[in-house]
Amino acid sequence: MQDADGALRDRDVPDAGRGAAFPAYRRAARAGTGRVSQTIKKLERRLGVVLFERTSRHVALTPAGERLRDDLTPAYQQIQDAVARAKAVGKGITGTLRVGFSSQWVSDLLLQTAEVFTGRYPDCVVRVQEVQLTDPLGPLRAGDLDLQLTELPITEPDLTTGPVIFSEPRGLMVPARHPFARRRTVGLEDLAKAPLVTISGAIPPYWLDHHYPRRTPQGRPIECAATADYWAEVLSLVATGHGVSPVALRAASYHGRPGIVFVPVSDAPPIEYGLIWPRNGGTARVRAFVETVRQPPP
């Protein structure tokens, strides 16, 4: 269909005519519908062929238009990719970005983000690797990682703590035969009734107190039954009845096994996960990845 001035309306042009092969059409469409018809006619005069068949009720590509579209589409995409790569090089978004994670659900998010990130910056490779519980900040400080998505809080003078990316409800991992396993929820005061399985290593004390408290909110002491160096040890100690352990409730989907029950903690704040990187390591690669993680998935 045409307007009174003969200009083609955007909805009347077939999808094939709006593709990458006709960037001029897209620019004209943004400028106004009157420009669309003028741009198409100018292109047809320049080429000496008719690209669109027009009737009062229908607009379609001619065989010549289809051929032009099909031949130009790969070249146009190559130009777009070349421009993106040039921008990335100019901004320093090349090379390898090493990103650490502390749990499997964090790994899933980082791998999804890496796919989007490398699509935008094809000259940058993202390597995702696990960080052990016993030394959560060591690889970052040693220069083995550029960036890390981990459980907060992290307040260190040599590290930058970025935004909170997501949070998870808090739960308690208990032995299947423990009385807590028969309850729908537990509370923070209940921690005084069951010894904890905690982790040990080069871990900031404030981080341990936040996730493995030594007292309940009312001040009652919480016993520590055992410490572990690896997550597999925590699972085994709980499953064999040595104690209970605080976790993100999502762990039930990743680490469910015989002998363990995951119970929600009704009055605990959620576990927040955020990005951290060396204070002098805020490179263009890091900033671009942080921005990509913060954006919702497509």
Side-chain angles (χ1 to χ4, degrees):
M1 298 286 289
Q2 294 183 329
D3 293 328
D5 64 356
L8 292 171
R9 292 196 294 265
D10 182 69
R11 68 173 181 269
D12 296 323
V13 180
D15 289 342
R18 302 190 204 131
F22 291 96
Y25 165 80
R26 293 188 296 166
R27 291 194 298 271
R30 289 194 293 268
T33 57
R35 292 281 304 280
V36 175
S37 181
Q38 296 174 13
T39 301
I40 292 174
K41 290 178 179 178
K42 182 178 179 180
L43 182 59
E44 289 177 330
R45 287 195 300 269
R46 184 175 181 180
L47 297 178
V49 297
V50 177
L51 299 175
F52 289 90
E53 294 177 347
R54 306 169 183 86
T55 69
S56 61
R57 305 182 63 84
H58 180 68
V59 178
L61 285 171
T62 64
E66 291 179 349
R67 169 56 64 185
L68 182 62
R69 176 203 61 195
D70 295 343
D71 289 346
L72 288 182
T73 296
Y76 181 72
Q77 187 59 52
Q78 288 178 354
I79 293 172
Q80 294 291 88
D81 292 344
V83 170
R85 286 194 293 271
K87 289 181 178 179
V89 170
K91 295 178 180 179
I93 307 175
T94 60
T96 301
L97 182 70
R98 301 157 303 172
V99 187
F101 67 90
S102 56
S103 56
Q104 292 301 312
W105 44 97
V106 172
S107 173
D108 290 350
L109 175 60
L110 289 178
L111 290 172
Q112 293 168 7
T113 303
E115 185 175 354
V116 175
F117 181 83
T118 53
R120 295 175 182 172
Y121 308 105
D123 288 340
C124 189
V125 176
V126 179
R127 302 196 185 281
V128 176
Q129 65 186 65
E130 184 177 6
V131 177
Q132 294 299 328
L133 297 174
T134 53
D135 192 16
L137 305 180
L140 206 58
R141 285 174 165 151
D144 297 330
L145 291 175
D146 303 299
L147 185 67
Q148 187 171 324
L149 181 54
T150 191
E151 294 87 351
L152 300 178
I154 297 294
T155 306
E156 299 292 310
D158 59 331
L159 301 177
T160 296
T161 300
V164 174
I165 301 302
F166 68 97
S167 61
E168 291 292 334
R170 202 176 294 260
L172 192 66
M173 188 166 58
V174 306
R177 296 183 179 181
H178 194 280
F180 288 172
R182 296 188 293 273
R183 294 173 55 173
R184 297 182 63 180
T185 63
V186 295
L188 290 174
E189 289 301 319
D190 289 320
L191 296 180
K193 304 173 185 177
L196 289 189
V197 175
T198 67
I199 56 176
S200 60
I203 305 168
Y206 63 84
W207 190 96
L208 281 172
D209 289 342
H210 183 81
H211 294 282
Y212 299 92
R214 289 177 287 184
R215 291 187 176 275
T216 70
Q218 295 183 9
R220 300 165 65 191
I222 300 173
E223 179 187 351
C224 177
T227 59
D229 292 332
Y230 299 98
W231 178 246
E233 295 176 10
V234 176
L235 293 172
S236 295
L237 286 168
V238 172
T240 53
H242 286 78
V244 303
S245 191
V247 292
L249 200 55
R250 189 187 284 203
S253 301
Y254 288 80
H255 302 292
R257 53 169 284 183
I260 291 178
V261 174
F262 294 82
V263 185
V265 181
S266 59
D267 57 350
I271 298 175
E272 294 183 330
Y273 294 78
L275 290 161
I276 58 174
W277 59 90
R279 188 164 294 279
N280 61 353
T283 64
R285 286 194 302 266
V286 167
R287 293 194 301 271
F289 194 86
V290 170
E291 185 61 29
T292 305
V293 174
R294 295 181 67 182
Q295 294 175 352

